[in-house]
Amino acid sequence: MTTNRPYLNLIQHSVKNDGVSFEEIVPNYLYRAILGEKSFLMHDVEVGLNNSAAAKTAMSKSGTYETLKYYDIPAIEHAFLMNTSSRFSKNDSFELAKQLFSQWNKKVVVKQDNGSQGNNVYKVTSIEELIKCLKLLFQLGVNASISPYEEATYEYRIVTLASKPKLFLGKQRTTSWKHNLISGAIAIDIPDEQAPQLATLANKAASALELDFCTVDILQTSRGLHVLEINEQVMLDEYCKNNPDRQRKVADVYREAVLRRFKKI
């Protein structure tokens, strides 16, 4: 049984000719992938190649930055701001945010520390906005992170599997300051001469976080290429929507990932 979600359906059909079948546990959400006598749970689009510690680190924007910094990998700084309602909160997150706002030329980005697929991400240029956005995030019951705003026209997403780059995607922002395709950015091809440098940086970043299957987002800044974030789930639905060639490429990557998962069982 397969799903009626287009992206998840693409993933499941990618291994149809390999003899892999799927039993539905929760419709469009939770499945049991089966190949012969082997099976594993597939949670949404997650095939389970990444260990839990690595996945949790990647989910944290500040945790990702600190790990990359530890390994001397160029990345956009993200500072952790604990929710002031947390019972673990000891420092004043608002005061720290104000200090960093001034330090970073009064132009920052504030977001959920655990990410939200481009939602709850704010570009801030005043103290009043900073306080307002932090309060909004904290009211949602989440922690936040703050980073300096980097003026960048291009963002690149590299899909890595087993420490090898499998797919290179480019995004050019247009009407929005964000690079999300759903926010108006357009998908572009990456020049062949740029691919080796992007591949090297993406592989270093994925290896540092010990992720077997992930996407690495890299900004083209005035200071060169810097990792923006790493996503432990490979979500490329907007990239390949209504584009058969891209759908084929994504399906090929997921086919390799699913079969790799079975080999590890």
Side-chain angles (χ1 to χ4, degrees):
M1 182 178 293
T2 56
T3 174
N4 57 20
R5 285 175 52 195
Y7 186 63
L8 188 54
N9 189 54
L10 178 149
I11 295 169
Q12 294 182 352
H13 272 275
S14 72
V15 288
K16 183 178 180 180
N17 293 333
D18 297 288
V20 179
S21 61
F22 295 86
E23 287 186 356
E24 185 178 83
I25 298 175
V26 179
N28 302 315
Y29 178 65
L30 188 61
Y31 292 81
R32 179 178 172 228
I34 305 168
L35 179 61
E37 296 182 353
K38 295 181 178 181
S39 69
F40 67 85
L41 288 179
M42 183 169 174
H43 180 275
D44 197 10
V45 303
E46 178 56 64
V47 300
L49 282 172
N50 299 318
N51 70 66
S52 59
K56 286 184 177 181
T57 301
M59 286 177 65
S60 168
K61 307 307 176 188
S62 58
T64 295
Y65 167 73
E66 293 296 343
T67 303
L68 296 177
K69 178 185 176 183
Y70 176 83
Y71 285 104
D72 294 321
I73 297 171
I76 305 297
E77 184 170 354
H78 283 73
F80 181 71
L81 299 172
M82 183 174 286
N83 193 313
T84 51
S85 297
S86 170
R87 62 190 179 93
F88 300 108
S89 179
K90 296 181 180 179
N91 300 317
D92 189 336
S93 292
F94 288 99
E95 188 58 36
L96 174 59
K98 290 178 184 178
Q99 292 174 8
L100 292 172
F101 177 76
S102 298
Q103 178 181 321
W104 290 333
N105 299 316
K106 300 182 179 180
K107 191 178 290 186
V108 300
V109 176
V110 176
K111 64 183 79 170
Q112 281 185 224
D113 187 61
N114 64 345
S116 56
Q117 296 185 347
N119 297 315
N120 304 320
V121 180
Y122 308 101
K123 178 183 175 183
V124 174
T125 56
S126 73
I127 288 291
E128 291 75 20
E129 286 180 296
L130 179 64
I131 300 303
K132 178 182 177 181
C133 292
L134 275 180
K135 285 183 177 179
L136 285 173
L137 289 172
F138 291 160
Q139 286 170 3
L140 293 174
V142 299
N143 298 311
S145 68
I146 183 172
S147 63
Y149 173 72
E150 292 279 354
E151 189 69 37
T153 301
Y154 301 104
E155 178 181 311
Y156 308 109
R157 172 166 288 186
I158 294 83
V159 182
T160 69
L161 175 62
S163 299
K164 296 180 180 179
K166 294 296 180 178
L167 197 57
F168 294 82
L169 324 175
K171 295 183 287 184
Q172 180 180 347
R173 65 180 179 84
T174 53
T175 55
S176 170
W177 64 273
K178 297 181 180 180
H179 292 89
N180 305 82
L181 295 178
I182 201 170
S183 299
I186 57 175
I188 60 171
D189 293 327
I190 292 177
D192 291 339
E193 62 271 15
Q194 200 166 21
Q197 188 178 4
L198 288 168
T200 298
L201 181 55
N203 287 342
K204 286 182 178 179
S207 296
L209 267 74
E210 301 177 8
L211 291 167
D212 196 23
F213 188 37
C214 66
T215 62
V216 181
D217 290 349
I218 299 173
L219 281 185
Q220 178 72 63
T221 75
S222 59
R223 299 174 291 116
L225 297 174
H226 281 64
V227 176
L228 175 64
E229 63 182 32
I230 302 178
N231 303 290
E232 82 288 353
Q233 279 197 339
V234 179
M235 293 294 295
L236 302 170
D237 48 335
E238 288 296 324
Y239 168 77
C240 66
K241 184 184 292 183
N242 302 319
N243 189 310
D245 182 55
R246 290 175 181 170
Q247 288 172 359
R248 177 186 58 78
K249 291 178 180 179
V250 172
D252 287 346
V253 172
Y254 254 102
R255 173 180 177 269
E256 189 175 347
V258 172
L259 295 179
R260 179 176 173 80
R261 178 71 172 90
F262 277 113
K263 287 180 180 179
K264 286 195 165 189
I265 296 174

